[in-house]
């Protein structure tokens, strides 16, 4: 093997130093690329988050409006039920009077039917 000269060693050393410098530049560029990529990702994430927050706020407002409509409808229905309850509230004496009237009416119908078919009022 031929002996290595000093100029070859110097060239080899310069080559290694140049390669090392190129690697440093490559790593610096890749770090810069990662930083730019992270900044872009953060910006897109913030934009998407703001968009989602706006959509959620809109959906919440719409839901609250629907719940308000349902509550109003329930209140109206509750008022209608109270009015109906007051109209149909019978009470004890009302029940007795209605029972007397209905039983008298039924008795009159039965006597009329008996007279119509048999012609007499025997009890």
């Amino acid at each position: 093997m031929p002996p290595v000269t000093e100029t070859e060693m110097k060239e080899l050393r310069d080559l290694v130093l140049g390669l090392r410098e190129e690697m440093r530049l490559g790593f610096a560029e890749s770090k810069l690329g990662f930083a730019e990529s992270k900044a872009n990702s953060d910006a897109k994430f913030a934009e998407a988050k703001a968009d989602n927050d706006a959509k959620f706020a809109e959906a919440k407002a719409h839901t609250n409006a629907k719940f308000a409509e349902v509550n109003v409808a329930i209140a109206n229905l509750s008022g209608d039920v109270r009015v109906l309850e007051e109209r149909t509230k019978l009470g004890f004496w009302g029940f007795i009077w209605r029972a007397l009237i209905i039983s008298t009416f039924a008795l009159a119908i039965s006597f009329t039917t008996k007279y119509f078919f048999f012609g007499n009022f025997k009890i």
Side-chain angles (χ1 to χ4, degrees):
M1 192 159 164
V4 180
T5 63
E6 189 157 324
T7 56
E8 289 176 345
M9 287 285 271
K10 187 174 180 172
E11 285 178 10
L12 190 57
R13 181 178 173 261
D14 288 342
L15 239 151
V16 169
L17 288 175
L19 182 61
R20 188 174 76 174
E21 191 63 32
E22 283 183 34
M23 287 178 64
R24 281 186 190 165
L25 288 175
F27 283 130
E29 286 177 6
S30 66
K31 284 182 182 178
L32 181 63
F34 285 134
E36 287 176 359
S37 175
K38 184 178 184 287
N40 287 340
S41 297
D42 288 345
K44 286 181 181 179
F45 179 74
E47 181 181 324
K49 185 176 184 286
D51 188 38
N52 283 343
D53 288 345
K55 287 181 181 178
F56 280 129
E58 181 182 337
K60 185 178 179 182
H62 181 69
T63 304
N64 287 341
K66 288 295 181 182
F67 276 129
E69 290 177 14
V70 169
N71 286 338
V72 167
I74 288 172
N76 288 340
L77 183 62
S78 176
D80 292 345
V81 168
R82 285 189 195 122
V83 168
L84 184 62
E85 181 183 353
E86 288 176 10
R87 286 183 183 172
T88 59
K89 199 173 205 178
L90 207 58
F92 177 73
W93 292 110
F95 178 75
I96 297 296
W97 283 111
R98 288 184 185 179
L100 283 174
I101 291 170
I102 290 172
S103 62
T104 305
F105 185 67
L107 190 61
I109 288 176
S110 68
F111 280 135
T112 305
T113 306
K114 190 174 183 182
Y115 178 73
F116 180 74
F117 286 114
F118 302 112
N120 56 7
F121 280 118
K122 290 183 183 175
I123 298 177

